[in-house]
């Protein structure tokens, strides 16, 4: 059994993938070829946003909007410490300061009460400019955007949605990536919509940000590639990656449905044995991960391993305790919910094509060892 088995999907759409790859090899436009534009249009439509920009990774999909917002030294960007490092890494890469905000104990997303407290504290200290917020749609569930957007507006900040795990999910009827000023997602193979390599996409309704993203994506180009109006990146999504994704977008809505079936079944059968994930009313999770809590996770994980069932821990150490952010001066105890959850959380195999048989095997093993 695999943690995420990408082969079942590949077998299902193999002809389409092959044909799309052959098309690229035939036209030869490997850099920003027509498939990139087609994918941008399809996913802008899917998410209900005006503009989409295909980029080289999910990390670039967060870094580039921050560059477009002109983030730099002296700027504060608020984000949770219980996430993948890329979320806060991009803030620090630009010389700005990540200000961590603890998570909610049931959704594991940014706690909006603590967000406003952190904003007020930072404002009172007067050392940093209040610039932006990067909420994370952790494990696939959108964060609390009504509250977050209201706080952002009150203090004059932007919101950049980290939807690397949330793509395909929704919040009060609106799709992830459309929930704030801008958003970034990832097409890393194991994400809900994954390609066969690295890739990502930025989304926004803001024409000015969109135009800056197009420039930043190609070394800060102006009217042409050799007219450079700002410092940018080589941040392009490969044509081949876009072609592979185009073969997957048609079945993607169905796959999100299949993920609900798997997650609902896990929830129903495991609720009495472990802490199962809670999806808020009005939210649909993309179920990038199915993550549960157990006070002795090492025991349960070891038992599952013995039965040939792989598990993973997202994330064993919150970012405020990582050496990479030591200079921010945080200590153990600063974000108790993140620290508590990171000591108990682990994830079970989750993908749209996980068979009922394998699911039963996993459920029985969790019951046995939990
Ligand atoms: C995967 C991930 C990223 C980064 O995406 P890459 O494509 O690997 O660069 C950023 N944020 C979160 C929450 C992620 O899970």
């Amino acid at each position: 059994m695999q943690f995420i088995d990408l082969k079942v999907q590949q077998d299902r759409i193999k002809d389409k993938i092959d044909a799309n790859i052959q098309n690229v090899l035939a036209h030869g436009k490997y850099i920003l070829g027509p498939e990139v534009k087609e994918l941008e249009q399809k996913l802008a439509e899917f998410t209900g946003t005006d503009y989409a920009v295909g980029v080289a990774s999910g990390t670039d999909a967060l870094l580039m909007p921050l560059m477009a917002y002109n983030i730099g030294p002296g700027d504060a960007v608020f984000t949770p410490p219980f996430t993948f490092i890329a979320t806060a890494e991009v803030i620090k890469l630009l010389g700005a300061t990540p200000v961590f905000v603890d998570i909610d104990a049931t959704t594991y997303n940014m706690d909006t009460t603590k967000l406003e407290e952190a904003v007020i504290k930072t404002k009172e200290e007067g050392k940093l400019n209040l610039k932006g917020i990067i909420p994370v749609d952790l494990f696939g569930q959108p964060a609390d955007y009504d509250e977050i957007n209201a706080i952002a507006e009150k203090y004059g900040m932007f919101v950049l949605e980290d939807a690397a795990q949330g793509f395909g999910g929704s919040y009060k009827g609106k799709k992830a990536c459309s929930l704030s000023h801008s958003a970034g997602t990832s097409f890393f193979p194991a994400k809900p919509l994954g390609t066969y390599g690295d890739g990502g996409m930025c989304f926004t309704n803001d024409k000015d940000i969109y135009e800056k993203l197009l420039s930043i994506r190609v070394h800060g180009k102006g009217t042409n590639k050799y007219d450079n109006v700002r410092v940018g990146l080589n941040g392009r999504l490969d044509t081949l990656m876009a072609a592979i994704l185009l073969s997957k977008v048609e079945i993607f809505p169905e796959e999100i449905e299949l993920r609900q079936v798997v997650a609902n079944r896990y929830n129903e059968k495991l609720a009495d044995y472990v802490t199962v994930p809670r999806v808020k009313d009005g939210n649909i999770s993309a179920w990038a991960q199915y993550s549960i809590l157990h006070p002795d996770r090492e025991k349960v994980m070891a038992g599952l391993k013995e039965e040939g069932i792989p598990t993973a821990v997202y994330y064993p150490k919150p970012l405020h305790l990582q050496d990479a952010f030591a200079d921010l001066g945080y200590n153990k105890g600063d974000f108790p919910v993140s620290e508590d959850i990171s000591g108990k959380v682990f994830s079970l195999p989750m993908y749209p094509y996980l068979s009922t048989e394998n699911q039963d095997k996993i459920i029985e093993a969790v019951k046995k060892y939990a």
Side-chain angles (χ1 to χ4, degrees):
M1 199 187 303
Q2 289 189 43
F3 188 67
I4 296 179
D5 187 343
L6 300 172
K7 190 69 176 32
V8 196
Q9 181 203 51
Q10 188 183 110
D11 290 342
R12 182 175 170 196
I13 52 170
K14 184 101 181 39
D15 291 350
K16 181 98 186 151
I17 295 170
D18 287 344
N20 284 9
I21 291 174
Q22 286 307 319
N23 270 340
V24 176
L25 299 185
H27 69 53
K29 297 187 181 81
Y30 302 120
I31 302 296
L32 295 183
E35 285 81 0
V36 175
K37 184 106 233 142
E38 191 184 338
L39 184 72
E40 288 169 345
Q41 281 164 355
K42 284 209 160 131
L43 297 189
E45 195 182 324
F46 176 80
T47 55
T49 52
D50 291 343
Y51 308 107
V53 178
V55 300
S57 68
T59 305
D60 279 356
L62 299 172
L63 178 64
M64 291 169 54
L66 290 186
M67 291 169 78
Y69 288 119
N70 232 343
I71 286 303
D75 294 338
V77 180
F78 299 84
T79 199
F82 188 62
T83 175
F84 184 57
I85 183 153
T87 315
E89 183 180 43
V90 292
I91 302 167
K92 194 155 184 250
L93 259 177
L94 295 175
T97 304
V99 179
F100 291 124
V101 176
D102 210 354
I103 54 166
D104 177 88
T106 57
T107 62
Y108 319 138
N109 281 329
M110 189 185 256
D111 181 323
T112 55
T113 307
K114 288 177 187 160
L115 170 63
E116 186 156 24
E117 286 166 12
V119 172
I120 292 169
K121 185 164 170 258
T122 306
K123 191 177 176 190
E124 282 172 1
E125 284 171 356
K127 289 192 206 120
L128 299 168
N129 312 310
L130 305 178
K131 276 297 173 74
I133 307 169
I134 310 184
V136 180
D137 301 337
L138 200 76
F139 302 146
Q141 169 162 221
D144 296 320
Y145 286 94
D146 283 352
E147 290 86 346
I148 292 167
N149 290 336
I151 293 168
E153 198 179 323
K154 188 167 162 189
Y155 296 94
M157 293 187 282
F158 67 80
V159 179
L160 166 60
E161 177 186 357
D162 181 346
Q165 300 179 13
F167 194 80
S170 59
Y171 174 85
K172 300 185 180 176
K174 289 172 72 183
K175 286 278 198 310
C177 290
S178 75
L179 304 175
S180 223
H181 304 123
S182 59
T185 195
S186 164
F187 302 131
F188 183 81
K191 306 281 167 154
L193 181 62
T195 186
Y196 296 145
D198 279 305
M201 199 166 279
C202 301
F203 298 88
T204 186
N205 291 334
D206 183 330
K207 189 154 191 262
D208 178 53
I209 292 296
Y210 170 63
E211 282 168 356
K212 285 180 176 151
L213 288 171
L214 292 180
S215 164
I216 291 164
R217 178 167 72 173
V218 187
H219 302 289
K221 75 177 162 96
T223 47
N224 69 66
K225 200 159 117 178
Y226 301 108
D227 169 35
N228 308 103
V229 297
R230 59 172 59 77
V231 168
L233 302 167
N234 172 353
R236 299 177 291 249
L237 176 67
D238 286 323
T239 306
L240 270 172
M241 292 306 140
I244 290 160
L245 287 161
L246 282 170
S247 64
K248 297 187 176 196
V249 289
E250 277 159 46
I251 58 168
F252 184 66
E254 186 196 330
E255 290 183 340
I256 290 292
E257 290 299 317
L258 292 171
R259 286 175 186 271
Q260 309 306 315
V261 176
V262 175
N264 289 341
R265 198 140 176 285
Y266 271 149
N267 277 348
E268 193 186 305
K269 311 258 178 187
L270 294 177
D272 292 341
Y273 301 87
V274 293
T275 306
V276 297
R278 276 240 297 277
V279 176
K280 279 195 167 178
D281 284 349
N283 274 359
I284 295 173
S285 177
W287 294 110
Q289 301 297 343
Y290 183 87
S291 304
I292 56 182
L293 307 184
H294 191 277
D296 191 357
R297 77 167 165 224
E298 308 307 328
K299 179 190 77 177
V300 184
M301 288 171 69
L304 265 64
K305 192 175 174 196
E306 232 164 79
E307 313 222 350
I309 300 165
T311 55
V313 176
Y314 305 109
Y315 296 90
K317 194 190 219 181
L319 299 184
H320 67 288
L321 302 177
Q322 297 281 1
D323 289 347
F325 296 114
D327 61 323
L328 296 175
Y330 289 107
N331 295 303
K332 214 172 160 93
D334 284 347
F335 302 104
V337 182
S338 295
E339 290 170 28
D340 180 54
I341 302 295
S342 63
K344 295 175 181 163
V345 73
F346 70 104
S347 306
L348 299 178
M350 162 55 82
Y351 52 95
Y353 308 101
L354 183 64
S355 66
T356 315
E357 195 190 340
N358 275 341
Q359 233 195 320
D360 283 338
K361 219 180 131 189
I362 296 161
I363 289 162
E364 287 316 310
V366 172
K367 283 185 184 174
K368 182 170 155 195
Y369 296 101

